[in-house]
Amino acid sequence: LLCIVYIMNIKYSEIFYSFQGEAELAGKPSVWLRFFGCNLECNGFGQDNPADESSWELPFKDADLSLIKTVEELPVFSKGCDSSYSWSNRYKHLCPSESVEEVCDKIEAQLPNGRFVQDEHSPGATDTMLCFTGGEPMLRQKHMQAIVEEFIKRGNCPKTVTVETNGTKPITGAFKDWLSLITYELDMRWHWAISPKLLHTAGEKDAVIPDVIVGYADACSRVTTILKFVCNGSDASWNEIDEALKNTSLEFADISDVVSFPDVWIMPVGATKEQQESVVDIVMETMRRGYKVATRNHAYVFGNQIGT
């Protein structure tokens, strides 16, 4: 593979080592790169009425930053987007802007023994996954490509890459071509975890874009795709999920002979450990409807901490 030298700086809010806490790859050790910048705000999360902007409480707007020096010192916000520090200009000064090489150095520093792949001959050994999140990582397609290319150059390429995306920014032709090449040549799994944002949970209007979702799933033969909807248990929330799935399935119909419809996961709303401890009704309704349950397992393990 031809490795290109990229001269660019990458703005990000945090790099940390944890495990995937949600959905299909839950439990997999992972290093996370959280890009700075998003095209959505999702201020309706955790609100009593997510669709009524006038009723919202947004603690990220009022947090006292006078003694805060790093993102890790911030609290987890219980209302509004729990990662608003990754897109709000209020927090931009806390977020570094570094070269591709510097970012990859910091990612490697989080890895066990500095490697994505450990001794494959050890019984039960697994690789560490590289996770791109945000913010919105699909605003940073060239950055993701540059980072993976740098790891190829170092002889330390991840076997599994997840992109946690809101599914609103189309994949570019250049990125799609690169993805087809890179996943085939390196036998890499590229996993799209698409979480469309809804009015009655996130306060976002017209943020489910089926043709963009199809574009991810149809990017190449070695990608896997899931849909992960956040639900607050209200009738309005469930109805909106039903409508989103109906519209998305119509878009998939044209390629159904090539690409299967993604698995659907339902994640109870709640950024904090306490909010995730009263989700029985949502979980039972999820199973009744035939969907998969995605709880936020990292919240149970680490509590209300950023960088976990």
Side-chain angles (χ1 to χ4, degrees):
L1 289 170
L2 176 63
C3 289
I4 303 169
V5 176
Y6 292 88
I7 301 174
M8 61 175 68
N9 271 17
I10 294 174
K11 187 78 171 174
Y12 68 93
S13 58
E14 54 182 337
I15 295 170
F16 60 96
Y17 181 63
S18 185
F19 64 92
Q20 170 60 271
E22 302 167 2
E24 182 174 339
L25 296 178
K28 192 168 182 61
S30 308
V31 173
W32 298 77
L33 170 61
R34 187 181 296 281
F35 290 108
F36 186 86
C38 193
N39 59 313
L40 303 178
E41 294 189 356
C42 299
N43 288 326
F45 276 136
Q47 308 292 349
D48 293 337
N49 186 349
D52 180 9
E53 183 176 351
S54 67
S55 69
W56 292 347
E57 299 174 38
L58 297 173
F60 83 89
K61 290 187 173 182
D62 304 316
D64 182 6
L65 303 183
S66 60
L67 299 178
I68 300 293
K69 302 299 181 185
T70 66
V71 161
E72 289 76 16
E73 298 172 58
L74 292 168
V76 173
F77 301 116
S78 60
K79 293 189 176 183
C81 174
D82 62 350
S83 57
S84 51
Y85 57 87
S86 69
W87 52 261
S88 170
N89 282 333
R90 247 194 120 217
Y91 301 90
K92 194 171 184 178
H93 67 288
L94 299 175
C95 301
S97 180
E98 296 176 336
S99 69
V100 174
E101 292 81 5
E102 289 171 317
V103 168
C104 289
D105 286 345
K106 289 189 175 179
I107 290 173
E108 283 187 333
Q110 298 285 332
L111 290 167
N113 303 316
R115 308 291 298 176
F116 282 103
V117 180
Q118 302 302 306
D119 184 359
E120 293 182 323
H121 300 293
S122 297
T126 187
D127 60 299
T128 298
M129 181 166 61
L130 175 60
C131 292
F132 294 117
T133 187
E136 175 46 54
M138 288 303 283
L139 294 170
R140 307 287 179 255
Q141 294 177 50
K142 290 182 179 179
H143 291 176
M144 289 191 285
Q145 180 175 344
I147 289 165
V148 173
E149 291 277 3
E150 175 64 21
F151 282 124
I152 293 171
K153 187 171 72 174
R154 298 181 183 202
N156 187 20
C157 192
K159 290 173 61 177
T160 312
V161 177
T162 283
V163 180
E164 297 274 352
T165 174
N166 61 36
T168 62
K169 306 307 293 184
I171 187 170
T172 66
F175 194 69
K176 183 175 181 178
D177 291 344
W178 172 80
L179 201 57
S180 296
L181 173 66
I182 213 78
T183 54
Y184 177 78
E185 292 286 346
L186 297 174
D187 193 25
M188 177 191 291
R189 178 181 182 181
W190 193 276
H191 183 65
W192 302 109
I194 307 170
S195 183
K197 307 309 181 195
L198 307 175
L199 174 62
H200 293 285
T201 49
E204 291 289 345
K205 298 178 181 178
D206 304 318
V208 182
I209 309 179
D211 63 313
V212 172
I213 295 171
V214 168
Y216 296 169
D218 196 32
C220 70
S221 61
R222 291 175 181 257
V223 301
T224 55
T225 308
I226 65 167
L227 289 171
K228 183 174 57 177
F229 291 94
V230 179
C231 181
N232 62 16
S234 68
D235 289 343
S237 182
W238 283 116
N239 290 341
E240 199 171 1
I241 290 170
D242 288 343
E243 184 70 13
L245 287 172
K246 182 181 74 172
N247 293 337
T248 303
S249 66
L250 291 174
E251 198 71 32
F252 267 87
D254 292 338
I255 60 167
S256 60
D257 57 334
V258 180
V259 179
S260 299
F261 193 81
D263 284 347
V264 176
W265 295 73
I266 304 297
M267 186 165 68
V269 71
T272 67
K273 181 178 181 179
E274 292 76 20
Q275 289 171 325
Q276 284 286 306
E277 288 176 341
S278 56
V279 298
V280 173
D281 290 344
I282 298 174
V283 167
M284 296 304 293
E285 181 63 15
T286 296
M287 294 189 292
R288 190 191 70 78
R289 289 169 178 253
Y291 303 135
K292 296 183 176 182
V293 176
T295 51
R296 306 188 80 187
N297 300 323
H298 52 291
Y300 295 103
V301 173
F302 297 110
N304 304 330
Q305 296 182 56
I306 287 177
T308 56

